């Protein structure tokens, strides 16, 4: 709870979670309005994971995320405008409108994408960490992946490589209990995911993924370990997806009660309540937060609406680099 | 063809589901295995309802382990079952390609004929839904490069309904590619619709002036183009390849002997596509029949972009088919 | 040691190991004589593993092996003649001369091959076991793989599937400390391989792979577990490869002393000594064994020499089944 | 081309090793990673000695995790290194194809040009050593289907020596396929041999009667055939494609404008091979130049068998090249 003392930080964490929440609620709206197309995977309910972890990362660290990465991108500091424009498919988007919701990229924050092949991003983080180690840069490479990704061969190979080579990789498993519509008990013989890290000789911790402060504390412990050159660290964040897997999901695989139970542990409510109880958050503060978040999102939507379409003649650009031969 | 029953309204999705239901009912050795085929109901709702009907042993949800469960499907086939393995989309099948090429397609020849692998693998394929570069591949042509496999591309309700059962009777591995944009396609099927042969291509639309060769969803672009061309007095013969491996050469060669012109439309990337193979075969087997060089209309050689206008620009278009056909017919 | 009492069985185990040993010594000779080509991976030193495990399998069980599978094939009961003819590339070979040393197949003993993709055979065993389970056949599917294969994604995916679905798969890891020229410590962050099974909720045991009786005992414990429908079992057999990885290996990666140390624990010597001490093996017995093994191998070589070449016109046979549409 | 130094005897294997040594010496960001590249000395002895010279960080032995370490190579490239990832043979690269296609080849376009992947992947390819079905693939043509990749096939000592450095200067992923039968090939190289351009095909042997297009080890069969044909008065022009993606069309089209006949020789399986693509391009760009249909000589469409006579029968043969060339020249 050390952080509770730092009101400013806590309020900032709360604002980031709220920004993600409102940003995605707006995105869902815009999806129905067909402004956004393709797959849209909402992070609503899981905000504490991205926000807590990012607080422990430094600007020079690297991040690899999944197709459910609006939260990571926003918490990492990418602008809501560049993300919204990306989802509109406009060339002002962070990926020029080529990637959409599943493929957000940003050089400034070393955000190596939104990867839509489950497990496919994990080896990239190992390689990013390998580069840092070989270049004597004391940096962290952090990869996010879900409980479903744990069954993939890439997970296994990457975990072993990172540990074998003592690389500074922070493995963040967002265990929301479901891989699309398949419950963890149908995908893993051993559902205690954190325990798998020991088979790779990797320290691991499971943390309440609905408690942003707990996540941040655990992530800081992890990054300290990483900065000491002790090799990778595995953090399982136990969380829950409040919304369907994507906009096409009819949720046959789980019942309303379960969802309602988890909503009682809404990460935003948890933190705001705690702050209120500590007398650190007033109704006005909250209203102000909502207000500033609303304005930021409105600006993002305006930016996306005002965005332009990439010229079709550019279709074949960037298949190969334009500056051939570095 | 048995006598045709009364027609009923249906969709491509329903036709595939009916085929699955029939197979599961008729043959106890058949089971469906893949990601989200059970509790979720299938990523494209194809298997929705089958879990309740056939139980979790035969409608088997798998973890995200494409190589593992495809390999398990091969083993189960060797063990006497008739597995239908669903790889959610072709984009993820690359993770299982080693199992498909080095085991499924190879074991029979490598064992001198001792063991065969009666396995069916279904996967969704194709672009068109703004799913971007990692979810829009059309790799059925790449799979058609592999000896030991049969590669089917049902484009019609009839084939969506009928190819599965025939594939399950095949002693060897069969890959069935379902273009994701076809699932909602509506139409009618006879109540007694069932198995269809999977060895030959079919003329979908007869014509005398040019042969347009295609498969899967691109066929409908070809048919639209053919209608417009007809208004300009150009009669295009449209051929549905149906099976990409082994290719039925006779059907398109017969057509070319009549039209003396061939245009191939293929959603795959142009270089090294199945359309290149067909062009090469026409070169080899019908060179002197040609009044104009064979042309190809394929996808642009780029990872498919998300933005709607860019995705459309990357895929074969009706206008391009019409333009090419006109050019080819007018000239030479 | 219960088995020691059963002299006949022990002698038979000894004979099988000796057969494998002499068969492979002969194969090496024939390789130098260019009668055998391609890759030839010798099992010499590891005989106790295949012989011990096969003793615990029933005829109706299935076996999936690697490219280093002469030992498994012989111990499983395939004829030396059909294997030798296969390595000669003759059509009388078990795989018609199409597979060679790395791809021995046999329907009668349910030997599903020699697989030359490291790890590639493991999922097949899972599928074979799945078929048995679905068809209510109480049988075992046994797969052999090396320490190197443990790093492959296929290993991870197959271990989880087998345990998740409680399938009767017997996983046999032949840990000979090297993957080709790469020592276990360079391939695994955790070199205690058996311990990895726990991450999959699978019972596991590590056994002295040079002691055929210890291997057989452990394998019997495993198959009992399997026959009770309790799911898969993992057995790590700690052994050593006395010969180079293949005929091309110059063995830069290990020193003679290490090899000599391990040769002191030669599985054949271990068993024969034990039998001699127990007064169950006389010099005559030994001579008789050598004699009968020599005759069997001579017959195999004669068979292979007398074998015929598959007609070139048959090249395209069996790409697809001849009886189309079962 | 700088002035040529004194010639020294060498082999293809040594030429690749020299290229590796040069790269590791000149650029600190370069490292070699793969199975058995270090302590074992490389499965084909290519990297033998480099571990002692450059240490285990830069000559990095990997576990058997093809997808994992190829993915790590992509990440390291994104992180500022210049990795050379060795996949022991193309047969095992299928396990890494998802990383190669969905990440290495795609990230730049998908990110709108933000990130590029300066990665070199080397692999041995081809049959000819009786290694049987799972160790004899020739899949370079399949890789040439993938946008975003460059695919190189060094066939000569000069290219074995020179293509690596140029590839390392390329900001994008480059795949280098080394045919396993070439490593022992002997010849001479100038002492100052170094980087070569990787954009164009090359005429290995000039001729006027027919153009024989090939790449990698098959070229030597073409050259042998050309010698025999010369004795029959047929002058074949032999072209080394060198780069399979992007293809240099100009070189073979120029040749065909002169010879009016083209024969393509390719160790890959015929259907959907790179030779089909070349035939299709000739159809599209030089149809009216042709005096005879383009022909292809490829591997039989079978998993490559172990038995020596069967393996030979499955691969392109000199006799078949000669026969085809004669037929094509005599006719039309
Ligand atoms: C290799 C691969 N297989 C299947 C899919 C389809 N798919 C997309 S997300 C998903 C579920 C992933 O679950 P999890 O890893 O738990 O992440 P979550 O969606 O719960 O955040 C599946 C099966 C994919 N994108 N990639
Ligand atoms: C997927 C794959 N990668 C690489 C190889 C090349 N290779 C053949 S055997 C081998 C070492 C395997 O070691 P291990 O699994 O310990 O088995 P062992 O040879 O020691 O019995 C390697 C790297 C292969 N055959 N398959
Ligand atoms: Mg999940
Ligand atoms: Mg080993």
């Amino acid at each position: 709870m050390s952080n509770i003392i730092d009101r400013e930080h806590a309020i900032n964490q709360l604002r980031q979670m709220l920004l993600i929440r409102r940003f995605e609620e707006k995105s869902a709206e815009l999806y129905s309005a067909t402004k956004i197309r393709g797959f849209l995977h909402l992070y609503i309910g899981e905000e504490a994971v991205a926000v807590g972890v990012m607080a422990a990362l430094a600007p020079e660290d690297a991040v690899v995320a999944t197709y459910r990465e609006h939260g990571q991108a926003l918490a990492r500091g990418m602008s809501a405008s560049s993300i919204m424009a990306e989802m509109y498919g406009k060339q002002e988007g962070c990926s020029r409108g080529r990637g959409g919701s599943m493929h957000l990229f940003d050089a400034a924050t070393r955000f190596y994408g939104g990867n839509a092949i489950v497990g496919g991003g994990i080896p990239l983080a190992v390689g990013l960490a390998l580069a840092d180690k070989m270049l004597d840069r004391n940096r962290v490479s952090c990869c996010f992946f879900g409980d479903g990704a744990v069954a993939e061969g890439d997970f296994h190979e990457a975990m072993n490589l990172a540990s074998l080579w003592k690389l500074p990789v922070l493995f963040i498993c967002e265990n929301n209990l479901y891989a699309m519509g398949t419950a963890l008990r149908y995908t893993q013989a051993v559902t205690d995911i954190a325990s798998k890290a020991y088979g790779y000789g990797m320290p691991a911790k499971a943390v309440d993924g609905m408690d942003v402060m707990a996540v941040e504390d655990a992530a800081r412990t992890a990054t300290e370990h990483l900065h000491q050159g002790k090799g990778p660290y595995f953090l399982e964040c136990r969380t829950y997806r409040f919304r369907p897997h994507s906009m096409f999901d009819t949720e046959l695989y789980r019942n309303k009660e379960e969802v309602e139970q988890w909503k009682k542990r809404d990460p935003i409510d948890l933190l705001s309540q705690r702050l209120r109880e500590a007398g650190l958050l007033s109704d006005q503060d909250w209203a102000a937060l909502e207000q500033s978040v609303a304005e930021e999102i409105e600006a993002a939507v305006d930016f996306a609406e005002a965005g332009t379409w990439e010229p079709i003649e550019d279709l074949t650009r960037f298949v190969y680099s334009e500056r051939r031969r570095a | 063809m048995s006598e045709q029953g009364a027609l009923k309204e249906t969709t491509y999705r329903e036709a595939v589901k009916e085929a699955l239901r029939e197979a599961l009912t008729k043959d106890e050795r058949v089971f469906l295995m893949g990601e989200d085929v059970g509790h979720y109901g299938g990523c494209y709702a194809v298997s929705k309802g089958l879990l309740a009907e056939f139980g979790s042993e035969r409608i088997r949800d798998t973890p995200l382990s494409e190589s593992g469960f495809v390999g398990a499907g091969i083993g189960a086939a060797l063990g006497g079952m008739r597995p239908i393995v669903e790889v959610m989309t072709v984009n993820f099948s690359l993770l299982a390609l080693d199992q498909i090429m080095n085991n499924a397609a190879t074991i029979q020849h490598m064992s001198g004929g001792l063991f065969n692998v009666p396995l069916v693998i279904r996967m969704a394929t194709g672009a068109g839904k703004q799913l971007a570069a990692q979810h829009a591949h059309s790799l059925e042509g790449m799979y058609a490069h592999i000896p030991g496999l049969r590669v089917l591309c049902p484009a019609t309700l009839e084939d969506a309904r009928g190819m599965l059962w025939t594939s399950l009777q095949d002693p060897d591995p069969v890959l069935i590619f379902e273009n994701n944009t076809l699932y909602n396609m509506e139409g009618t099927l006879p109540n007694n619709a069932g198995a269809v042969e999977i060895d030959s291509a079919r003329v979908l639309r007869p014509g005398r002036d040019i042969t347009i060769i295609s498969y899967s969803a691109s066929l409908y672009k070809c048919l639209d183009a053919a209608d417009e061309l007809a208004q300009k007095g150009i009669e295009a013969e449209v051929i549905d390849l149906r099976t990409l491996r082994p290719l039925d050469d006779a059907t398109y060669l017969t057509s070319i002997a009549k039209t003396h012109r061939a245009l191939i439309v293929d959603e795959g990337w142009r270089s090294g596509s199945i359309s290149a193979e067909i062009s090469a075969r026409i070169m080899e087997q019908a060179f002197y029949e040609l009044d104009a060089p064979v042309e190809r209309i394929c996808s642009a050689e780029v990872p498919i972009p998300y933005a709607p206008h860019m995705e459309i620009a990357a895929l074969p278009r009706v206008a391009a088919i019409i333009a090419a056909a006109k050019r080819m017919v007018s000239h030479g």
Side-chain angles (χ1 to χ4, degrees), chain B residues 144-215:
Chain B
H145 180 54
I146 305 171
L149 301 181
R150 268 173 214 290
V151 177
L152 312 186
C153 295
T156 62
L157 294 185
E158 192 185 351
D159 284 347
R161 175 68 181 83
M163 281 182 161
L164 181 67
W165 181 254
T166 315
S167 301
L168 285 165
Q169 307 316 301
D170 198 290
D172 305 319
V174 180
L175 271 50
I176 303 180
F177 289 89
E178 300 162 7
N179 188 288
N180 75 98
T181 62
L182 294 176
Y183 287 118
N184 292 331
M185 183 172 73
E186 297 171 340
T188 63
L189 273 178
N191 286 320
N192 65 348
V196 297
E197 59 85 17
I198 58 175
D199 299 320
S200 54
R202 185 169 54 212
V203 175
L204 278 192
R205 182 190 202 284
R208 59 164 195 273
D209 302 320
I210 182 170
T211 302
I212 302 181
I213 304 164
S214 190
Y215 65 93

Side-chain angles (χ1 to χ4, degrees), chain B residues 234-257:
Chain B
I234 298 172
E235 288 302 329
E237 180 148 296
V238 179
I239 291 177
D240 177 1
L241 290 169
R242 298 182 69 239
T243 295
L244 300 190
R245 184 178 189 97
L247 275 171
D248 164 23
D249 298 339
T251 301
Y252 61 79
L253 291 173
T254 307
S255 176
I256 291 166

Side-chain angles (χ1 to χ4, degrees), chain A residues 8-195:
Chain A
E8 198 180 300
H9 179 70
I11 293 285
N12 179 45
Q13 297 289 74
L14 181 61
R15 185 184 186 285
Q16 285 196 53
M17 293 197 288
L18 192 63
L19 175 65
I20 296 168
R21 178 71 53 94
R22 300 291 178 247
F23 180 89
E24 290 203 319
E25 286 165 350
K26 187 68 187 175
S27 302
E29 233 178 86
L30 292 164
Y31 194 90
S32 313
T34 75
K35 294 284 191 176
I36 298 174
R37 297 281 75 197
F39 280 146
L40 182 70
H41 304 92
L42 301 182
Y43 197 57
I44 290 176
E46 310 185 33
E47 296 90 343
V49 178
V51 172
V53 169
M54 294 303 175
L57 297 184
E60 65 274 16
D61 294 338
V63 176
V64 179
T66 72
Y67 46 84
R68 191 185 302 287
E69 88 281 32
H70 309 138
Q72 285 80 1
L74 287 167
R76 182 60 179 165
M78 285 174 63
S79 82
S81 296
S82 71
I83 300 168
M84 188 59 79
E86 184 59 32
M87 298 201 289
Y88 266 65
K90 301 295 183 73
Q91 62 181 329
E92 291 76 11
C94 58
S95 308
R96 236 172 184 287
R98 272 122 174 253
S101 164
M102 301 199 289
H103 303 296
L104 306 175
F105 287 87
D106 182 49
T109 59
R110 301 195 67 221
F111 197 84
Y112 291 97
N115 197 305
I117 301 297
V118 171
I122 309 177
L124 299 190
V126 171
L128 286 160
L130 176 60
D132 286 333
K133 191 179 191 204
M134 294 185 80
L135 296 170
D136 288 317
R137 296 182 300 217
N138 191 349
R139 313 197 295 198
V140 170
S141 293
C142 174
C143 61
F144 291 82
F145 52 89
D147 48 289
V150 172
E152 291 282 4
D154 271 3
F155 167 83
H156 173 68
E157 297 183 3
M159 289 285 284
N160 182 50
L161 285 174
S163 183
L164 178 69
W165 293 341
K166 297 229 164 312
L167 303 177
V169 181
L170 175 53
F171 292 91
I172 303 292
C173 180
E174 301 177 305
N175 178 4
N176 60 12
L177 298 175
Y178 292 89
M180 208 156 146
T182 304
L184 184 58
R185 66 183 178 285
Y186 297 129
T187 66
Q188 287 297 320
V190 173
T191 54
D192 175 2
I193 294 177
S195 74

Side-chain angles (χ1 to χ4, degrees), chain A residues 207-222:
Chain A
V207 64
D208 176 359
M210 307 308 260
D211 178 345
V212 67
M213 289 175 176
V215 172
E216 180 176 344
D217 287 346
R220 288 190 186 282
T221 310

Side-chain angles (χ1 to χ4, degrees), chain B residues 67 91-92 94-95 97-98 101-103 105-106 109-110 133-134 137-139 142 144-148 245 268-273 275-277 279-284 287-288 290-296 300-305 331-332:
Chain B
S67 187
N91 309 283
F92 319 138
L94 299 177
L95 293 162
L97 184 55
D98 169 67
M101 191 186 298
N102 285 321
N103 285 334
T106 302
H109 194 268
M110 187 165 72
Q134 293 180 332
H137 294 305
S138 294
L139 299 173
M142 186 184 87
H145 180 54
I146 305 171
R245 184 178 189 97
W269 289 312
R270 184 184 186 93
S271 295
S273 58
S275 59
E277 176 61 27
S279 177
R281 291 188 184 198
I282 295 170
M283 163 79 82
E284 287 151 4
F287 183 69
Y288 298 99
L290 295 174
D291 286 347
V294 174
E295 294 196 27
R296 297 178 285 165
E301 303 205 34
V302 302
I304 306 298
H331 129 333

